[in-house]
Amino acid sequence: AFEWRPNRVFQLRPGALFMKRDLRVTKDGVLQSLDSKASKYAAPLLTVYYSPDQHFSLRGDIRNISNGGPYTRISPRTDFRTRWIARYRFNDSVTVENNFVLREAKFAATDFENKIRSNSSTVTYVFNPKYSIFGSYIYDSFLATSDVNFLRGTAPLNTTWRDQVINRVWDGGIEARPTGQIEFRFSGNYLRTTRSEE
């Protein structure tokens, strides 16, 4: 990886990760060749930071992993991940932050697909250096699909499996720092989860 910083407000860090994993399965000291497998990974990486002034900042990273030899039917061949965090400070009292996460993992040979979407927004209000309150909303979605082949049972033996879970979280609390050495944080949240499965 290398870092490029043309000025104080912008930073770019591209790179690449290469990895080789040898999975060796033995039974009574004998290597099981059918269960053993070597996998090679390649992942270009990119990290970005941008902050034109003291009020606004944006940072994020992107990674796309390619696996040359998935070990199981639900091991992804491609795995794209990205995360972005934007923060805006209106004044000394009010700050808003948004955190976005995206992941898409796929293995076309088995129709395996895993999608994760997560977004959270947080508002913080500072009364003074000792006391502040915060509130946030989080949306989290998890989706997984894959082909399933049953060895025996009632037809059809080949089917598609699908599972999706969505979480919605409301969170709030207060932070107190009455002295320089003591800090309190009280928070509570409400979580609502829905799920669909086929």
Side-chain angles (χ1 to χ4, degrees):
F2 67 93
E3 183 176 299
W4 181 52
R5 185 180 297 177
N7 48 53
R8 291 186 176 183
V9 304
F10 183 70
Q11 177 181 317
L12 196 66
R13 185 180 297 170
L17 171 68
F18 300 95
M19 181 174 64
K20 183 174 183 286
R21 183 181 70 176
D22 290 321
L23 181 60
R24 299 170 59 86
V25 179
T26 60
K27 183 177 181 180
D28 297 329
V30 179
L31 179 66
Q32 306 296 305
S33 59
L34 294 178
D35 297 327
S36 302
K37 191 171 188 177
S39 298
K40 295 181 180 179
Y41 299 82
L45 316 170
L46 179 64
T47 302
V48 179
Y49 176 79
Y50 176 68
S51 180
D53 52 48
Q54 62 179 353
H55 295 285
F56 177 74
S57 67
L58 174 67
R59 61 187 187 274
D61 59 80
I62 300 173
R63 173 180 298 189
N64 189 25
I65 304 173
S66 296
N67 181 357
Y71 184 70
T72 69
R73 295 178 59 85
I74 58 173
S75 297
R77 183 175 179 82
T78 59
D79 191 349
F80 175 81
R81 309 177 187 184
T82 184
R83 178 181 181 184
W84 295 92
I85 302 173
R87 188 172 188 267
Y88 190 82
R89 182 183 179 190
F90 288 91
N91 48 49
D92 292 339
S93 299
V94 181
T95 302
V96 178
E97 182 174 291
N98 185 267
N99 190 328
F100 174 73
V101 176
L102 168 67
R103 180 181 179 185
E104 289 191 3
K106 296 180 180 180
F107 187 15
T110 62
D111 285 336
F112 169 73
E113 188 172 1
N114 180 212
K115 290 184 179 181
I116 296 176
R117 305 280 191 277
S118 181
N119 185 264
S120 64
S121 297
T122 303
V123 178
T124 303
Y125 184 86
V126 179
F127 293 99
N128 54 55
K130 292 185 177 181
Y131 299 98
S132 64
I133 59 174
F134 63 91
S136 64
Y137 173 73
I138 303 170
Y139 176 86
D140 184 32
S141 173
F142 173 87
L143 171 66
T145 63
S146 183
D147 278 348
V148 179
N149 298 318
F150 297 99
L151 297 178
R152 62 182 68 89
T154 305
L157 298 180
N158 299 330
T159 185
T160 300
W161 165 77
R162 183 182 186 275
D163 188 14
Q164 183 175 22
V165 176
I166 297 177
N167 295 315
R168 296 175 177 87
V169 183
W170 290 263
D171 185 37
I174 183 172
E175 292 183 354
R177 192 178 292 108
T179 67
Q181 298 179 344
I182 299 177
E183 179 178 342
F184 296 98
R185 180 184 175 98
F186 301 95
S187 65
N189 62 69
Y190 172 78
L191 168 64
R192 181 174 180 264
T193 300
T194 58
R195 180 177 184 180
S196 61
E197 184 177 353
E198 298 178 5

